[in-house]
Amino acid sequence: MKLFFRAAMLSSLLLPVLSLPACYAQSGEAVGNNKASSSQLSDAGLQLVPLTISSAGKTHKFTVEVAGTVEEQAQGLMFRQKLAPDEGMIFPFPEPRPASFWMKNTVIPLDIIFVRSDGTVESIAANTTPYSLEPVRSGEAVAAVLELAGGRAAELSIDAGDKVEWPR
């Protein structure tokens, strides 16, 4: 009888937690297209896509993870110990909006690149401070945010106005 009572109690506690993702999907809060079933996945289970940045006549190629849901965007690159120079994460939004990020629980410095709906770089927050709770904001509404290893944008001379392209 005690075992039955514990199982019933446990299921009543887990039911709201397990149904949460369904609530997000039903309410339309997904923030991007998740095509994970037809592409490669990262170690974190996120869709991997090619991304290029055209800057000063050069094309820089990356493989980025797509943070396409509210939950994936909330997690971002938190707790990651490293990020290779040719890797990153893209945060696409369903509609352009002002963006604000912080570095809570983010171990490594990042370049946070704000991308307009036409694919051009709006601004770059370079070498953001790990663990900082200070907001890092776009200067205007953006369609996506790209995170690269800290200092990478300067190394490649990536600047405002450069073109970012990835499969949307």
Side-chain angles (χ1 to χ4, degrees):
M1 187 67 173
K2 284 183 181 179
L3 183 59
F4 175 77
F5 179 71
R6 286 184 183 164
M9 214 165 97
L10 182 60
S11 66
S12 69
L13 292 172
L14 287 177
L15 186 59
V17 173
L18 294 174
S19 64
L20 234 129
C23 291
Y24 282 115
Q26 290 174 350
S27 67
E29 288 187 28
V31 293
N33 240 353
N34 194 344
K35 303 173 189 171
S37 61
S38 64
S39 65
Q40 284 189 321
L41 298 179
S42 69
D43 291 341
L46 299 178
Q47 177 188 7
L48 289 169
V49 298
L51 179 141
T52 59
I53 302 176
S54 301
S55 174
K58 294 182 181 178
T59 301
H60 308 288
K61 296 178 185 271
F62 300 89
T63 299
V64 299
E65 295 174 271
V66 179
T69 67
V70 172
E71 294 85 2
E72 292 166 351
Q73 290 188 359
Q75 177 70 30
L77 291 170
M78 290 193 307
F79 307 109
R80 303 279 181 99
Q81 298 292 318
K82 60 184 175 178
L83 186 62
D86 62 343
E87 295 176 348
M89 183 175 282
I90 188 86
F91 299 74
F93 305 135
E95 297 292 328
R97 65 175 177 86
S100 181
F101 280 59
W102 65 357
M103 295 292 288
K104 180 180 182 179
N105 298 320
T106 306
V107 180
I108 55 177
L110 299 172
D111 286 347
I112 300 177
I113 301 172
F114 298 98
V115 183
R116 296 181 185 101
S117 56
D118 68 357
T120 59
V121 173
E122 181 267 330
S123 63
I124 301 170
N127 272 313
T128 55
T129 305
Y131 302 106
S132 174
L133 299 180
E134 201 62 35
V136 178
R137 295 185 174 104
S138 62
E140 62 188 64
V142 294
V145 175
L146 172 63
E147 292 181 340
L148 300 176
R152 197 70 177 125
E155 286 173 20
L156 300 174
S157 300
I158 297 169
D159 206 353
D162 290 347
K163 187 75 170 177
V164 180
E165 296 179 278
W166 74 98
R168 299 182 195 206

